[in-house]
């Protein structure tokens, strides 16, 4: 049986098809690429997907094809799991106990199918994708799945309304260089005439072709339908597509007519066994009816079942059936699904019972689908199901309160905190509502997650004061409150509530409460000038976790201990050892993707601080093999971005920072401030002072963080960017400098009560900030740099110490004082840079040395960046011979058309060559590319 029928020729899409194949072959540095094809229904998106997949299949690509369901409550990862099943029917169903394991299992399956080829994952109707599928795309295209994957997807443009979640995903993905979005426009008048002529089999009358173009608007699907009408002499059709469809449906044999109506009411694809139970026909009659529907180009068939050739048919037919007819069809679908042995498809079952007008029978499968989604950590899908369950249940339903509670919690888990609060308020007003303490505690958690910290604090207090607050709930509330206060920077209050929680948890609470309270108490004690007490509390938490052996307890305890040692207390080497030991313990318990990767990220950051960059990179490579997701992935990517910036790997740094921004889509200061700081550092190495300033100022103006260390690093980078701009004879921003001085004042006040270890680190950043101000003000004062170098030496952090030595030497040589000490400091900084592999920093040191005629060592000249001519010549070596010819013509000022005529190639081919040239030279304009060529020449 034909799968798609006799399609018309591919008109007006040849260039687009070639571009799409080129984009997909041109993978980015992470081994990924993507093309998202958008356009109206019937414009030819699916056709392009099939043509592209067919062209690439066997040419180094392994192809998987999946289609998203057109119902709002599809099961998680449906199109990807469907694609895996299509590839191998014998493959066992891909399931897992949690979302991380599911992503790992799916990634493993994709890698197995790809082998040594590039994997092409083709997804049709992506506008209907569930959230888990959208997250998987972000995960794969961020380079986290360890899969060399190219994604080709079609999206119905009219579905992307203002609140559609895919709009946000596309906005994030557009920032990745390896992602292209192709907006497929309707055919123009000439192309429509060509398609009409091809289908009719002759040159049509101009007025007939014009009429087709006017009616179709250039939509290829509608053009094909109208052209067949014209070919077959059906010229008296109504002026609307709906009437055209209905007239053609009426021409179907009666049984085929019934089949098309049934398939239009179903959730595609519809298996033959299901359709046989829905349509009351004998088997031979049913097969003949389906065959007729395929012949008339209404139905397509593949291995998964039947589907309409175009969903517009369903939209038209939906308006033509009586409500009772539609309800009857959906009832038969639901009964058919229930008649099969085994676990039913609860998503489809719920859909059909709803459409059948029987909410009572839809409720159970909806709840089952919600619980199944929760078991897979598909919180967005679970939230949708619980919402449907609420809509299906009456106010008097005895399960209403339970449904409200689950719906509130699911909304909270998927980030809909205000909706969670609204549902909690409805639950609290019911006669069988939970107790006061439970309601207050849940409300506080939702408020804190929504950013309403002050109100959340009040609710935690009310939970503690509620008469029905049990000792165990009191322990949880006190521990949560302590954590909230800790995040707010109110360490004294956090200490008080953490002590209360610790006492309660020791008697009545769970181990998790005990660990949470210990973390808050330990951190608050460390920040309140008693680091030994803080360490003792957290070490005790580690002992408790070791006795319990539960992965969550071990993870939380080791994380807090490692963070405290590598961060505020600056006992970096010990912290790295603790992080590695904890990572090993948790690997034994099978939680490598979560706690182990986070601990390895802490270890890598610690190694970076003490200058062991190569070892830090090896640690991160090990962690990345676990293919982390979410916050764990962000931690690792930020740690790796720090290394890329230090190594001067611009493309890798940008890729990872883009991936962080994609995965974050928001986030707290702990992630956002380091991301902005790294963007500023990257921009400074490239001389983009305005971009560096913008990143820092965004962090200064948008954050309310009280983390003195993060603010110190950000302020230093901000003033360093202003100083670099000043040295480069570019304007500085006095408003930005004033805001950074305000941050410095906050740091000065904040370290008064900090323990010595924290104070020393913040003082080091303050000295760097003060010294950068001396550069901005042309004072060339070496003393602040000397102080900064000394303090960072004591903290055993070689990079800021070496940077301070560089600036101290520069200021001293500028003033012509203490040349011997300056030269020795410059050489020491250079040796440090070489040992760490900090190429941009080493080149900056060499530049200062050459400026003041200082010899750094025998190998100094081998590490200096080449002259502009040498760099340009090296860049041109990456171009092919034809690309060099095109670039030479561009440098001569020729247009694409003129270059094509000169080199005897098409104008489109010139454009393709230019795209490759721009990518290889890392430029964006013809002027920049010409500058590289002329410099080399």
């Amino acid at each position: 049986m034909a799968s798609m029928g006799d399609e018309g020729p591919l008109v007006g899409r040849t260039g687009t098809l070639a571009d799409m194949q080129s984009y997909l072959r041109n993978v980015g540095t992470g081994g990924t690429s993507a093309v998202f094809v958008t356009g109206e229904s019937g414009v030819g998106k699916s056709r392009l997907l099939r043509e592209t997949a067919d062209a690439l299949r066997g040419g180094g690509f392994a192809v998987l094809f999946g289609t998203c369901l057109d119902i709002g409550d599809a099961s998680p990862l449906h199109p990807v799991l469907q694609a895996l099943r299509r590839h191998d029917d014998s493959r066992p169903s891909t399931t897992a106990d949690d979302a991380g394991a599911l992503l790992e299992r799916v990634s493993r399956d994709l890698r197995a199918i790809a082998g040594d080829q590039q994997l092409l994952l083709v997804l049709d109707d992506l506008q209907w994708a569930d959230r888990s599928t959208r997250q998987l795309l972000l995960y794969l295209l961020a380079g986290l799945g360890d899969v060399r994957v190219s994604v080709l997807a079609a999206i119905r443009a009219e579905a992307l309304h203002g609140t559609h979640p895919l709009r946000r995903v596309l906005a994030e993905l557009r920032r990745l260089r390896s992602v292209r979005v192709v907006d497929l426009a309707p055919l123009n008048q000439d192309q429509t005439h060509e398609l009409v002529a091809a289908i009719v089999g002759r040159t049509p009358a101009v007025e007939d072709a014009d009429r087709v173009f006017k009616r179709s608007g250039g939509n290829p699907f509608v053009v094909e339908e109208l052209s067949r009408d014209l070919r077959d002499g059906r010229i008296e059709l109504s002026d609307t597509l709906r009437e055209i469809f209905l007239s053609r449906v009426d021409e179907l044999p009666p049984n085929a007519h019934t089949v098309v109506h049934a398939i239009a009411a179903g959730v595609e694809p519809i298996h033959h066994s299901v359709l046989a139970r829905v349509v009351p026909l004998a088997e031979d009659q049913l097969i003949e009816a389906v065959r007729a529907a395929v012949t008339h180009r209404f139905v397509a068939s593949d291995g998964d079942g039947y589907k309409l050739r175009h969903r517009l048919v369903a939209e038209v037919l939906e308006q033509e059936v009586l409500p009772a007819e539609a309800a009857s069809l959906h009832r038969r679908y639901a009964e058919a699904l229930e008649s099969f042995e085994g676990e039913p498809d609860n998503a489809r079952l719920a859909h059909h019972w709803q459409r059948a007008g029987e909410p009572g029978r839809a409720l159970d499968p909806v709840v089952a689908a919600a619980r199944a989604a929760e078991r897979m950590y598909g919180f967005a899908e679970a939230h949708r199901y619980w919402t449907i369950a609420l809509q299906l249940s009456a106010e008097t339903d005895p399960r209403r309160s339970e449904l409200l509670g689950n719906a509130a919690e699911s909304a909270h888990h998927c980030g809909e905190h205000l909706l969670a609060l609204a549902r909690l308020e409805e639950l609290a007003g019911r006669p069988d509502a939970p107790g006061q303490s439970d309601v207050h505690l849940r409300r506080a958690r939702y408020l804190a997650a929504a950013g309403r910290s002050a109100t959340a604090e009040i609710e935690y207090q009310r939970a503690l004061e509620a008469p029905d607050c049990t000792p165990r709930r009191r322990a949880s509330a006190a521990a949560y409150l302590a954590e909230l206060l800790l995040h707010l920077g109110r360490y004294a209050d956090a200490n008080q509530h953490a002590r209360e929680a610790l006492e309660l948890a020791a008697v009545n609470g769970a181990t998790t409460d005990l660990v949470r309270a210990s973390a808050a108490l330990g951190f608050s004690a460390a920040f309140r000038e008693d680091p030994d007490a803080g360490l003792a509390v957290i070490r005790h938490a580690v002992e408790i976790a070791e006795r319990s052996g539960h992965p969550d307890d071990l993870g939380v305890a080791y994380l807090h201990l490692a963070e405290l040692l590598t961060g505020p207390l600056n006992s970096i080497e010990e912290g790295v050892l603790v992080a590695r030991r904890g990572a090993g313990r948790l690997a034994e318990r099978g939680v490598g993707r979560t706690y182990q990767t986070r601990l390895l990220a802490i270890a890598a950051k610690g190694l970076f601080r003490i200058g062991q960059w190569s070892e830090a990179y090896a640690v991160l490579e090990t962690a990345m093999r676990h293919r982390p997701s979410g916050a764990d992935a962000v931690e690792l990517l930020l740690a790796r971005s720090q290394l890329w910036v230090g190594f001067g790997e611009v493309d890798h740094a940008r890729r990872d920072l883009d991936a962080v921004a994609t995965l974050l889509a928001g986030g707290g200061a702990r992630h956002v401030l380091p991301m902005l700081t790294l963007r500023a550092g990257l921009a400074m190495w490239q001389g983009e002072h305005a971009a560096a300033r913008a990143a820092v100022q965004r962090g200064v103006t948008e954050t309310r963080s009280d983390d003195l260390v993060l603010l110190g690093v950000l302020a230093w980078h901000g003033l360093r960017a202003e100083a670099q701009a000043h040295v480069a004879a570019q304007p500085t921003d006095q408003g930005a400098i004033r805001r950074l001085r305000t941050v410095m004042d906050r740091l000065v006040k904040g370290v008064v009560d900090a323990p010595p270890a924290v104070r020393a680190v913040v003082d080091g950043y303050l000295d760097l900030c003060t010294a950068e101000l001396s550069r901005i003000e042309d004072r060339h004062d070496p003393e602040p740099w000397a102080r900064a170098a000394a303090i960072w030496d004591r903290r055993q952090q070689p990079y800021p110490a070496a940077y301070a030595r560089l600036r101290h030497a520069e200021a001293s040589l500028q003033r012509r004082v203490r040349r011997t000490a300056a030269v020795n400091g410059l050489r020491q900084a250079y040796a440090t840079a070489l040992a760490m592999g900090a190429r941009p920093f080493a080149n900056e040191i060499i530049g200062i040395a050459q400026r003041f005629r200082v010899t750094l060592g025998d190998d100094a000249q081998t590490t200096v960046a080449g002259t502009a001519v040498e760099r340009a010549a090296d860049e041109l070596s990456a171009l092919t011979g034809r690309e060099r010819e095109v670039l030479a013509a561009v440098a001569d000022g020729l247009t694409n058309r003129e270059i094509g005529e000169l080199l005897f190639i098409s104008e489109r081919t010139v454009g393709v060559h230019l795209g490759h040239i721009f990518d290889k030279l890392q430029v964006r304009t013809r002027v920049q590319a010409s500058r590289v060529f002329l410099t080399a020449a």
Side-chain angles (χ1 to χ4, degrees):
M1 191 173 292
S3 62
M4 289 297 170
D6 59 331
E7 293 177 308
L10 192 64
V11 172
R13 307 300 193 206
T14 305
T16 302
L17 186 63
D19 289 344
M20 289 168 57
Q21 295 176 28
S22 175
Y23 297 152
L24 292 168
R25 289 192 176 99
N26 187 22
V27 298
T29 53
T32 64
S33 62
V35 173
F36 294 92
V37 184
T38 68
E40 65 182 13
S41 299
V43 79
K45 304 180 295 297
S46 299
R47 175 77 179 276
L48 277 182
L49 262 59
R50 295 196 304 275
E51 296 281 351
T52 303
D54 290 341
L56 296 180
R57 183 181 286 109
F61 282 81
V63 180
L64 289 180
F65 201 108
T67 304
C68 301
L69 288 179
D70 60 338
I71 55 176
D73 46 2
S75 57
L77 296 179
H78 169 79
V80 181
L81 299 181
Q82 178 198 57
L84 292 172
R85 288 194 300 271
R86 284 176 170 174
H87 179 266
D88 185 0
D89 289 337
S90 64
R91 182 178 297 273
S93 178
T94 301
T95 59
D97 294 333
D98 59 66
L102 182 62
L103 284 178
E104 185 172 358
R105 182 75 59 82
V106 170
S107 297
R108 185 184 66 194
D109 291 344
L110 295 177
R111 285 197 305 276
I113 291 172
D116 58 356
Q117 300 183 89
Q118 182 81 8
L119 179 67
L120 177 62
L121 180 59
V122 184
L123 300 175
D124 204 0
D125 287 326
L126 193 65
Q127 72 277 356
W128 291 321
D130 58 277
R131 182 173 180 178
S132 295
T133 300
R134 298 194 299 270
Q135 289 177 334
L136 177 65
L137 289 181
L138 295 175
Y139 175 84
L140 292 174
L141 293 178
L144 301 177
D146 200 21
V147 183
R148 294 175 58 241
V149 61
S150 297
V151 175
L152 175 61
I155 303 167
R156 186 180 291 188
E158 59 265 33
L160 298 185
H161 50 74
T163 59
H164 197 289
L166 195 58
R167 292 190 64 178
R168 184 177 182 181
V169 173
L170 285 177
E172 296 293 344
L173 289 174
R174 280 178 186 267
R175 302 197 296 187
L176 300 178
R177 291 188 173 186
S178 58
V179 173
R180 301 295 183 100
V181 177
V182 176
D183 297 316
L184 201 58
L187 303 178
N188 60 32
Q189 190 164 5
D190 290 339
Q191 292 167 341
T192 300
H193 286 194
E194 180 182 350
L195 181 55
V196 171
I199 293 175
V200 171
R202 54 180 172 78
T203 302
V206 175
E207 57 270 23
D208 289 338
D210 286 342
R211 185 167 61 251
V212 170
F213 177 72
K214 183 177 180 180
R215 288 181 171 182
S216 68
N219 183 291
F221 173 72
V222 183
V223 170
E224 290 185 20
E225 297 300 311
L226 293 173
S227 298
R228 290 187 181 92
D229 292 340
L230 182 63
R231 178 194 62 194
D232 298 334
R234 293 190 295 267
I235 59 175
E236 298 298 326
L237 295 173
S238 57
D239 294 333
T240 65
L241 178 62
R242 173 176 169 274
E243 292 171 337
I244 293 172
F245 274 126
L246 290 176
S247 66
R248 294 202 59 210
V249 169
D250 289 340
E251 294 176 0
L252 289 169
N255 288 346
H257 188 283
T258 302
V259 164
V260 170
H261 272 275
I263 294 175
V267 178
E268 296 177 345
I270 299 165
H271 196 272
H272 182 81
S273 59
V274 175
L275 188 64
R277 284 168 169 81
V278 173
V279 179
L281 292 174
E283 181 69 9
D284 56 344
Q285 291 178 317
L286 176 61
I287 292 176
E288 188 61 32
V290 173
R291 188 184 303 278
V294 171
T295 302
H296 283 76
R297 299 184 47 77
F298 277 102
V299 173
S301 172
D302 58 25
D304 289 330
Y306 305 126
K307 63 175 71 174
L308 293 177
R309 183 174 178 271
H310 201 287
R311 288 303 297 176
L312 285 176
V313 176
E315 297 172 15
V316 171
L317 295 181
E318 186 179 11
Q319 306 298 321
E320 296 302 310
V321 297
L322 296 172
E325 290 179 285
S328 177
L329 265 176
H330 287 292
R331 185 178 299 106
R332 293 203 297 273
Y333 266 113
E335 291 170 347
L337 292 170
E338 286 183 339
S339 68
F340 292 100
E341 295 183 0
E343 182 69 20
D345 187 332
N346 286 302
R348 296 188 186 210
L349 189 59
H351 170 77
H352 287 300
W353 279 129
Q354 281 181 268
R355 296 296 183 91
E358 298 197 29
R361 301 187 68 174
L363 184 55
D364 285 340
V366 167
V367 171
R371 297 197 187 283
E374 286 180 336
R375 287 194 295 271
M376 297 174 65
Y377 286 72
F379 292 120
E381 289 76 23
H383 168 51
R384 186 162 53 247
Y385 289 129
W386 288 122
T387 300
I388 294 172
L390 285 181
Q391 295 169 351
L392 295 175
S393 65
E395 290 291 332
T396 57
D397 193 313
R399 292 179 291 180
R400 180 73 179 181
S401 293
E402 178 189 356
L403 295 176
L404 276 169
N406 284 308
E409 196 68 14
S410 69
H412 169 63
H413 281 306
C414 72
E416 297 287 346
H417 306 302
L418 297 180
L419 180 58
L421 285 165
R423 287 174 174 169
L424 181 62
E425 294 313 308
E426 182 180 348
L427 175 62
R430 292 183 62 81
D432 56 345
Q436 294 182 33
S437 61
D438 186 21
V439 171
H440 287 307
L441 179 56
R442 294 178 68 172
R443 185 182 291 127
R445 290 170 47 228
Y446 300 164
L447 286 167
R452 299 180 182 179
S453 302
T455 315
E457 181 183 354
I458 295 171
E459 287 298 315
Y460 279 132
Q461 292 286 4
R462 289 174 176 170
L464 290 168
E465 297 167 0
D468 63 339
C469 186
T470 64
R472 181 163 184 172
R473 188 168 290 128
R474 181 178 296 276
S476 296
Y480 274 116
L481 177 56
E483 276 195 330
L484 176 66
L485 295 170
L486 192 67
H487 292 310
L488 292 173
R490 291 163 52 186
Y491 301 117
D493 293 338
N495 185 279
Q496 174 187 344
H497 287 283
R499 288 183 184 279
E500 177 188 357
L502 197 60
E503 293 173 0
L504 290 168
V507 179
N508 301 296
T511 303
T512 302
D513 296 327
L514 195 62
V515 172
R516 183 180 292 114
S518 298
L521 182 61
F523 266 89
S524 61
F527 273 100
R528 295 179 66 242
E529 300 185 357
D530 196 352
D532 292 335
L535 270 176
V537 172
I538 295 187
R539 290 188 195 279
H540 180 59
V542 173
E543 293 174 2
I544 297 172
E546 289 284 4
R547 288 196 296 270
S548 80
H550 194 281
D552 285 339
D553 301 335
L554 285 168
V556 170
Y558 272 106
L559 277 174
H560 288 305
L561 179 58
E563 285 178 335
L564 185 63
L565 290 170
T566 58
L569 299 189
N570 203 60
S571 298
I572 299 175
E573 292 185 355
E574 182 185 0
V576 171
L577 291 174
V578 168
R580 283 178 155 172
R581 183 170 68 247
R585 296 283 287 114
L586 288 157
E588 296 170 359
R589 282 160 171 75
V591 287
R593 293 193 77 250
T594 54
Y595 288 119
Q596 184 189 6
T597 56
R598 184 74 66 90
L599 282 163
L600 290 177
I602 292 173
K605 290 176 183 177
L607 290 167
F608 179 88
R609 292 185 185 114
I610 59 178
Q612 298 180 22
W613 290 10
S614 296
E615 187 174 356
Y617 179 77
V619 169
L620 290 174
E621 284 294 287
T622 299
M624 280 294 182
R625 294 194 190 108
H626 295 292
R627 295 174 297 280
S629 61
D632 301 314
V634 169
E635 291 281 358
L636 284 176
L637 289 170
L638 284 173
R640 193 167 67 176
S641 297
Q642 194 174 36
L643 283 171
W644 291 141
V645 173
F647 288 145
E649 298 285 353
V650 175
D651 289 340
H652 289 83
R654 280 180 172 166
R655 183 197 68 198
D656 279 359
L657 289 173
D658 286 344
V660 168
T662 300
L663 291 168
L664 273 180
R670 188 165 61 89
H671 291 150
V672 172
L673 290 185
M675 180 187 71
L676 294 173
T677 300
L678 288 169
R679 285 200 184 278
L682 186 63
M684 276 189 279
W685 285 135
Q686 297 180 283
E688 298 173 355
H689 310 300
R693 176 187 299 128
V696 171
Q697 291 301 310
R698 177 186 163 191
V700 169
T701 56
E702 292 184 9
T703 183
R704 298 181 180 178
S705 173
D706 289 327
D707 191 313
L708 301 180
V709 176
L710 288 180
L711 289 172
V713 177
L714 187 70
W716 170 39
H717 277 70
L719 290 168
R720 182 177 171 183
E722 297 297 338
Q724 295 288 84
H726 178 71
V727 170
Q730 295 185 14
T732 58
D733 188 327
Q734 294 304 313
I737 295 173
R738 283 195 300 272
R739 286 188 286 274
L740 292 169
R741 285 183 180 273
T742 301
V743 175
M744 291 176 63
D745 292 340
R746 287 179 60 189
L747 295 176
V748 171
K749 295 176 182 177
V751 297
V752 172
D753 296 326
V758 176
R759 188 184 309 128
V761 173
V762 177
D763 283 346
Y765 286 117
L766 282 170
D767 283 334
L768 288 172
C769 290
T770 302
E772 297 289 4
L773 285 171
S774 73
R775 292 179 72 203
I776 296 171
E777 297 166 357
D778 285 326
R779 288 188 278 111
H780 307 295
D781 186 357
E783 290 308 313
W785 295 114
R787 289 196 301 271
I791 197 170
W792 289 112
D793 278 338
R794 290 195 295 273
R795 306 320 300 167
Q796 298 181 345
Q797 296 197 32
Y799 180 78
Y803 177 79
R805 283 193 174 88
L806 165 65
R807 296 303 172 209
H808 174 267
E810 182 182 31
S812 297
L813 294 170
Q814 186 79 19
R815 283 191 171 189
R816 299 183 179 181
V817 296
R818 304 184 64 183
R819 179 178 175 86
T820 300
V823 170
N824 289 336
L826 199 61
R827 289 171 177 169
Q828 188 175 350
Y830 181 63
T832 299
L834 290 183
M836 293 186 299
R839 291 191 297 271
F841 183 40
N843 286 336
E844 185 176 11
I845 295 171
I846 291 170
I848 297 297
Q850 291 175 338
R851 174 181 161 196
F852 291 103
R853 300 176 181 275
V854 173
T855 302
L856 294 173
D858 294 338
D859 62 339
Q861 294 304 317
T862 65
T863 58
V864 64
T867 65
V869 172
E870 291 169 340
R871 288 197 301 272
D874 184 62
E875 290 173 327
L876 291 185
S877 67
L879 303 183
T880 65
R882 175 63 83 182
E883 288 167 352
R884 284 172 178 257
E885 292 175 344
V886 171
L887 181 56
V890 170
D892 285 338
L894 273 64
T895 66
N896 284 11
R897 182 179 59 78
E898 292 168 336
I899 295 172
E901 294 173 352
L902 175 69
L903 301 179
F904 302 101
I905 56 179
S906 70
E907 186 175 346
R908 180 174 296 277
T909 301
V910 174
V912 173
H913 283 311
L914 281 177
H916 293 163
I917 292 169
F918 287 4
D919 285 343
K920 291 179 180 180
L921 299 184
Q922 294 295 299
V923 297
R924 296 183 178 180
T925 67
R926 299 168 78 96
V927 173
Q928 292 172 338
S930 299
R931 184 182 297 121
V932 174
F933 177 82
L934 294 173
T935 301

